[in-house]
Amino acid sequence: QVQLVESGGGLVQAGGSLRLSCAASGRAFSSYNMGWFRQRQGKEREFVGAVSRSGRNTIYGDSVKGRLTISRDNDGNTVYLQMNGLKPEDTAVYYCAASSRSAFITTPSYDYWGQGTQVTVSS
């Protein structure tokens, strides 16, 4: 079992930056690929990006490439989502998730989820 708690969300103006954190507790954090998803109001949950167990490999969704960066600290059991150049359409609840599968997953087929943190970008 893994428990995930996101933090760092809030209100920011367009063009601004935020860094989301996801603290993990429970079983060995470094044995999971970690992903970030977001869900805009009235929309399905959307893949934002993922980072491999070691932190050496990342993938990103097309809508955020070049603006968002995922990293992890396995010693601190935390994964981060650095968001730059935020746009109003980035407004959503952001979730982190853990996957025990060996390959990256871009669908919401993750094993564990956090409760989400709200990000609101004003124009």
Side-chain angles (χ1 to χ4, degrees), residues 2 27-34 53-54 72 74 99-102:
V2 174
R27 292 187 60 191
F29 175 69
S30 60
S31 66
Y32 294 92
N33 288 328
M34 297 298 296
R53 292 173 176 83
S54 66
R72 67 189 294 165
N74 283 342
S99 171
S100 59
R101 300 187 188 187
S102 57

Side-chain angles (χ1 to χ4, degrees), residues 38 40 46-49 59-68 87 90 106:
R38 67 185 183 185
R40 290 177 274 194
E46 174 190 14
F47 176 73
V48 172
I59 58 171
Y60 296 95
D62 289 339
S63 62
V64 302
K65 278 181 182 176
R67 299 188 296 118
L68 275 59
K87 306 175 182 179
D90 293 319
T106 61

Side-chain angles (χ1 to χ4, degrees), residues 31-122:
S31 66
Y32 294 92
N33 288 328
M34 297 298 296
W36 284 95
F37 287 77
R38 67 185 183 185
Q39 190 160 19
R40 290 177 274 194
Q41 195 167 8
K43 304 290 187 181
E44 294 186 351
R45 199 162 290 191
E46 174 190 14
F47 176 73
V48 172
V51 60
S52 63
R53 292 173 176 83
S54 66
R56 285 194 292 269
N57 301 107
T58 54
I59 58 171
Y60 296 95
D62 289 339
S63 62
V64 302
K65 278 181 182 176
R67 299 188 296 118
L68 275 59
T69 304
I70 296 174
S71 61
R72 67 189 294 165
D73 173 4
N74 283 342
D75 290 334
N77 286 6
T78 303
V79 62
Y80 302 99
L81 177 63
Q82 177 67 45
M83 304 189 291
N84 300 323
L86 283 164
K87 306 175 182 179
E89 53 263 42
D90 293 319
T91 295
V93 177
Y94 284 73
Y95 298 90
C96 72
S99 171
S100 59
R101 300 187 188 187
S102 57
F104 277 136
I105 304 172
T106 61
T107 62
S109 302
Y110 280 63
D111 301 300
Y112 303 101
W113 291 84
Q115 83 290 348
T117 186
Q118 176 71 47
V119 171
T120 302
V121 184
S122 62

Side-chain angles (χ1 to χ4, degrees), residues 11-29:
L11 175 64
V12 63
Q13 288 188 333
S17 299
L18 278 176
R19 187 174 82 155
L20 305 184
S21 301
C22 174
S25 60
R27 292 187 60 191
F29 175 69

